[in-house]
Amino acid sequence: MIERAIVIGDGVVGLNVALALQRRGTRVTIVAPDAPWRGASWGNAGHIAVEQVEPLASLATIRSVPQRLFSRGGALALPPAAIGAWLPFALRMLAAARPARFRRGKAALSALLATAIPAWRRVLAEAGVPDLLRVDGHFVVWETPATAARGRAAWLAADTGTARVRDATAGELAQLATLTRVPVAGAVRFEGSGQMTDPTALGKALTARIADQGGTFVHGRVRAVARDGRVTLDDGTTHEADVAVIAAGAASAALVASLGLKAPLIAERGYHVEGDPGDWPADLPPVVFEDRSMIVTRFADRLRAASIVEFARINTPPDGRKWARLRAHVASLGLPLREPVEPWMGARPTLPDYLPAIGRQGAVAYAFGHQHLGLTLSATTGEALAALLHGETPAVDLTPFDLGRFA
């Protein structure tokens, strides 16, 4: 029985780990430097992406790099100044893309994704906010006949896990055509994927639930985690518990390194712009403009356009050209994103094989590295790790996610 736990990180993964531990009677303290949350947990597209069962560490992804570069109009940015960070990562990703490793990674990711929506439903029901999750699919749209033909064929042939994909109906195409001034040459609709309707409300609800269950919050930056679970903050104070869980997103690699664990993590930075939604339909699921690698999501009172995969160091200043590119896409499409438009940038924690790190070493556990799937997988990650820590059998085999794979 774990009586006391320290969770390092108050992003969506850390909060879900805390909730799952509390459900088993563990007293939880959350330590994090930021309040309220403004990292990748908040700044994402709100998409519950259960269809993304194929890890991005694949030969197909690597072959597509030249045409996806930001310098050529794409959404992939490899800043020359950050080559010391992204080149070693890219070489490890190439190794992870070998067919045998890719197949193992896909099987592991598929199993975890299959449990994502049921886990979220349990978490949100307990928090009293079940309506924050809407399982209404999403659209993928193309602007030219050529890209529509290629994209449609690719998605209809792809393994999409528990989600299903079909051609958009005539009525759906007509509605999509009213959203933009550019032609809609084709579209598909996914069924079985979902959306969080309000990321701000989600953070507040999970935090309130933890506090109601007796959880405490300490604002501070962690300097070190000892093998016995003792946590030391930058101000010199220490906190002790039966287990310390490292769930600090892109800042996690340095914390596990002192324990002899290798996590070759990179800050995969994403950008968004958001503003007043104008007349964008409140009940419309997310729309992916695939030709522009951009997803547009309506939240409660905001419309958010998100894109960009920028491999850099975590403390690199934002690149204003990325927001300018997003604004240009919004203007070109004629989307009703009204001023004041606010920019955001955050770092997704990504490992070379595009699988998360979930596991335990003695009195220290970890849950990070969820790349684009942090929001999607956080509830099931919390449940699985809490089961492991309490000596139960997790619903999903966590062996593929152990950091020992990078030893």
Coordinates of all heavy atoms in Angstrom, one line a residue, residues 207-238:
T207 N -8.0 19.8 -11.1 CA -7.3 20.4 -9.9 C -8.3 20.4 -8.7 O -7.9 20.1 -7.6 CB -6.8 21.8 -10.2 OG1 -5.9 21.7 -11.3 CG2 -6.1 22.4 -9.0
A208 N -9.5 20.8 -8.9 CA -10.5 20.9 -7.9 C -10.8 19.5 -7.3 O -11.0 19.4 -6.1 CB -11.8 21.6 -8.4
R209 N -10.9 18.5 -8.1 CA -11.2 17.2 -7.7 C -10.0 16.7 -6.8 O -10.3 16.0 -5.8 CB -11.3 16.2 -8.9 CG -11.5 14.8 -8.6 CD -12.8 14.5 -7.8 NE -13.0 13.1 -7.6 CZ -13.9 12.6 -6.8 NH1 -14.8 13.3 -6.3 NH2 -14.0 11.2 -6.7
I210 N -8.8 17.0 -7.2 CA -7.6 16.5 -6.4 C -7.7 17.2 -5.0 O -7.5 16.6 -4.0 CB -6.3 16.9 -7.1 CG1 -6.2 15.9 -8.3 CG2 -5.1 16.7 -6.2 CD1 -5.1 16.4 -9.3
A211 N -8.0 18.5 -5.0 CA -8.1 19.3 -3.7 C -9.2 18.7 -2.9 O -9.0 18.6 -1.6 CB -8.2 20.8 -4.0
D212 N -10.3 18.4 -3.5 CA -11.5 17.9 -2.7 C -11.2 16.6 -2.1 O -11.7 16.2 -1.0 CB -12.7 17.8 -3.6 CG -13.3 19.1 -4.1 OD1 -13.0 20.1 -3.4 OD2 -14.1 19.1 -5.0
Q213 N -10.3 15.8 -2.7 CA -9.9 14.5 -2.2 C -8.7 14.6 -1.2 O -8.1 13.6 -0.8 CB -9.5 13.6 -3.3 CG -10.6 13.3 -4.3 CD -11.7 12.4 -3.7 OE1 -12.8 13.0 -3.3 NE2 -11.5 11.2 -3.5
G214 N -8.4 15.8 -0.8 CA -7.3 16.0 0.2 C -5.9 16.2 -0.4 O -4.9 16.2 0.4
G215 N -5.8 16.4 -1.7 CA -4.5 16.6 -2.3 C -4.0 18.0 -2.0 O -4.7 18.9 -1.7
T216 N -2.7 18.1 -1.9 CA -2.0 19.4 -1.7 C -1.1 19.8 -2.8 O -0.7 18.9 -3.6 CB -1.2 19.4 -0.4 OG1 -0.2 18.4 -0.5 CG2 -2.1 19.1 0.8
F217 N -0.9 21.1 -3.0 CA -0.1 21.6 -4.1 C 1.0 22.5 -3.6 O 0.8 23.3 -2.7 CB -1.0 22.5 -5.0 CG -2.1 21.7 -5.8 CD1 -3.3 21.4 -5.2 CD2 -1.8 21.3 -7.1 CE1 -4.2 20.6 -5.8 CE2 -2.8 20.5 -7.8 CZ -4.0 20.2 -7.1
V218 N 2.2 22.2 -4.0 CA 3.4 23.0 -3.6 C 3.9 23.6 -4.9 O 4.2 22.9 -5.9 CB 4.4 22.1 -3.0 CG1 5.7 22.9 -2.8 CG2 3.9 21.5 -1.7
H219 N 4.0 24.9 -4.9 CA 4.6 25.6 -6.1 C 6.1 25.8 -5.9 O 6.5 26.5 -5.0 CB 3.9 27.0 -6.3 CG 2.4 26.8 -6.6 ND1 2.0 26.2 -7.8 CD2 1.3 27.2 -5.9 CE1 0.7 26.2 -7.8 NE2 0.2 26.8 -6.7
G220 N 6.8 25.1 -6.8 CA 8.3 25.2 -6.7 C 8.9 24.3 -7.8 O 8.2 23.5 -8.4
R221 N 10.1 24.6 -8.1 CA 10.8 23.8 -9.1 C 11.7 22.7 -8.5 O 12.4 23.0 -7.5 CB 11.7 24.7 -10.0 CG 12.2 24.1 -11.2 CD 12.9 25.1 -12.1 NE 12.0 26.1 -12.5 CZ 11.2 26.1 -13.6 NH1 11.2 24.9 -14.3 NH2 10.4 27.1 -13.9
V222 N 11.6 21.5 -9.0 CA 12.3 20.4 -8.4 C 13.8 20.4 -8.9 O 14.0 20.5 -10.1 CB 11.6 19.0 -8.7 CG1 12.5 17.9 -8.3 CG2 10.3 19.0 -8.1
R223 N 14.7 20.3 -7.9 CA 16.1 20.3 -8.3 C 16.6 18.9 -8.5 O 17.4 18.6 -9.4 CB 16.9 20.9 -7.2 CG 18.4 20.9 -7.4 CD 19.2 21.2 -6.1 NE 18.8 22.5 -5.5 CZ 19.1 22.9 -4.3 NH1 19.8 22.1 -3.5 NH2 18.7 24.1 -3.9
A224 N 16.1 17.9 -7.6 CA 16.6 16.6 -7.7 C 15.6 15.6 -7.1 O 14.8 16.0 -6.2 CB 17.9 16.4 -6.9
V225 N 15.6 14.4 -7.6 CA 14.8 13.3 -7.0 C 15.8 12.2 -6.6 O 16.5 11.7 -7.5 CB 13.8 12.8 -8.1 CG1 12.9 11.7 -7.5 CG2 12.9 13.9 -8.6
A226 N 15.7 11.8 -5.4 CA 16.6 10.7 -4.9 C 15.9 9.3 -5.1 O 14.7 9.2 -5.3 CB 16.8 10.9 -3.4
R227 N 16.8 8.3 -5.1 CA 16.3 7.0 -5.3 C 15.3 6.5 -4.3 O 14.4 5.6 -4.6 CB 17.4 6.0 -5.4 CG 18.4 6.2 -6.5 CD 19.5 5.2 -6.5 NE 20.5 5.6 -7.6 CZ 20.4 5.2 -8.8 NH1 19.4 4.4 -9.2 NH2 21.3 5.5 -9.7
D228 N 15.3 7.1 -3.1 CA 14.3 6.7 -2.1 C 13.0 7.5 -2.2 O 12.2 7.4 -1.3 CB 15.0 6.9 -0.7 CG 15.4 8.3 -0.4 OD1 15.1 9.2 -1.2 OD2 15.9 8.6 0.7
G229 N 12.9 8.3 -3.2 CA 11.7 9.1 -3.4 C 11.7 10.4 -2.8 O 10.7 11.2 -2.9
R230 N 12.8 10.8 -2.2 CA 12.9 12.2 -1.6 C 13.0 13.2 -2.7 O 13.9 13.0 -3.6 CB 14.0 12.2 -0.6 CG 14.1 13.5 0.2 CD 15.1 13.5 1.3 NE 16.5 13.3 0.7 CZ 17.2 12.2 0.7 NH1 16.7 11.1 1.2 NH2 18.4 12.2 0.2
V231 N 12.3 14.3 -2.6 CA 12.3 15.3 -3.6 C 12.9 16.6 -3.0 O 12.4 17.1 -2.0 CB 10.9 15.6 -4.2 CG1 10.9 16.8 -5.1 CG2 10.4 14.3 -4.9
T232 N 13.9 17.2 -3.7 CA 14.5 18.5 -3.2 C 14.1 19.6 -4.2 O 14.3 19.4 -5.4 CB 16.0 18.3 -3.1 OG1 16.3 17.2 -2.2 CG2 16.6 19.6 -2.6
L233 N 13.7 20.7 -3.7 CA 13.3 21.8 -4.5 C 14.5 22.8 -4.6 O 15.4 22.7 -3.9 CB 12.1 22.6 -3.9 CG 10.8 21.7 -3.7 CD1 9.6 22.6 -3.3 CD2 10.5 20.9 -4.9
D234 N 14.3 23.8 -5.5 CA 15.4 24.8 -5.7 C 15.6 25.6 -4.5 O 16.8 26.1 -4.3 CB 15.0 25.7 -6.9 CG 15.5 25.2 -8.2 OD1 16.2 24.2 -8.3 OD2 15.0 25.7 -9.3
D235 N 14.6 25.8 -3.6 CA 14.8 26.6 -2.4 C 15.5 25.8 -1.3 O 15.6 26.3 -0.2 CB 13.5 27.2 -2.0 CG 12.5 26.2 -1.6 OD1 12.8 25.0 -1.6 OD2 11.3 26.5 -1.3
G236 N 15.8 24.5 -1.6 CA 16.4 23.7 -0.6 C 15.5 22.8 0.3 O 16.0 21.9 1.0
T237 N 14.2 23.1 0.2 CA 13.3 22.3 1.0 C 13.2 20.9 0.4 O 13.4 20.7 -0.8 CB 11.9 22.9 1.0 OG1 11.4 23.1 -0.3 CG2 12.0 24.3 1.7
T238 N 12.8 19.9 1.2 CA 12.7 18.5 0.8 C 11.3 18.0 1.2 O 10.7 18.5 2.1 CB 13.8 17.6 1.4 OG1 13.6 17.6 2.8 CG2 15.2 18.1 1.0

